[in-house]
Amino acid sequence: MRHFMQSITTAVLLATTAPAMAQTAADKHYDPQEMEKAREALHAGMGGQTSSLIMAERLEYRSNNGDELLLWDGQGWVGGDINKLWIKTEGEFKLDETRFEEVEVQALYSRALSPYFDLQAGIRHDLEPGPSRSFAVLGLQGLAPYWFEVDAALFLSDDGDLSARIEAEYELNITQRLILQPRAEFNLNAQDVPEYGLGAGLSTIDAGLRLRYEIQREFAPYIGISWSRAFGDTADFRRASGDKAGSTSFVTGIRFWF
């Protein structure tokens, strides 16, 4: 045990003194201002740089039992390893009625809590279904154990209505390019919101299975099947308005990022 503690102490001393020794030795031979610029460039290249990503996770056609839909689900971010600005959007367009069914946009500040999870806070604005409304957002997004991608958020509307959404997906590599992706989304509400057709409790579940082929890592067409269902008062509201409480869809689309 004594030798182990001595080894730890030696490693700590080397880790804390080596950079200072290297810096002092380099400054003896090079201009200090030039060395400072070099250190800043090294820091930028080792995690201090600003990066960005734009991804269309789902851009797809849904058969929807004859009520055909075009669905999109995309997000992007800009920032560093710790702090980022995220923009998320998703929605549905009814092809037979040529109108938007749902349109949602979020703007979020994201801060890394760990190498795998970010805490996110910001605003969400729903353009459809009307009348439009806004929400405060608090969420958690990241990679759970066993490589499950998770995105969970609480929403508080400007009318005081509280809701939550939990999304989870997993990727099974059949080959290096052929990937099977199960996905599920759960929506919950703390109270009835009749004007938007939402009931308290578990309101909807959307689950799907998609098989994509990555022509390139950045571009992948896919096919699959999707099942969605409303529950409780949400289902009753839909039936009262002449809509179906559930549907099963064939889906086809593309996933891309850059």
Side-chain angles (χ1 to χ4, degrees), residues 199-200 202-203 230-237 239:
L202 177 63
S203 57
F231 297 90
D233 289 341
T234 303
D236 293 338
F237 289 140
R239 294 188 187 100

Side-chain angles (χ1 to χ4, degrees), residues 134-157:
S134 298
F135 302 77
V137 183
L138 181 64
L140 193 67
Q141 181 171 352
L143 196 62
Y146 303 102
W147 304 102
F148 284 91
E149 295 185 30
V150 177
D151 188 355
L154 289 171
F155 306 103
L156 182 64
S157 76

Side-chain angles (χ1 to χ4, degrees), residues 74-96:
Q75 55 189 326
W77 58 260
V78 59
D81 287 348
I82 305 298
N83 302 297
K84 294 182 177 70
L85 170 66
W86 281 77
I87 302 295
K88 302 180 181 181
T89 180
E90 60 181 88
E92 296 177 354
F93 182 81
K94 278 200 167 186
L95 296 174
D96 56 340

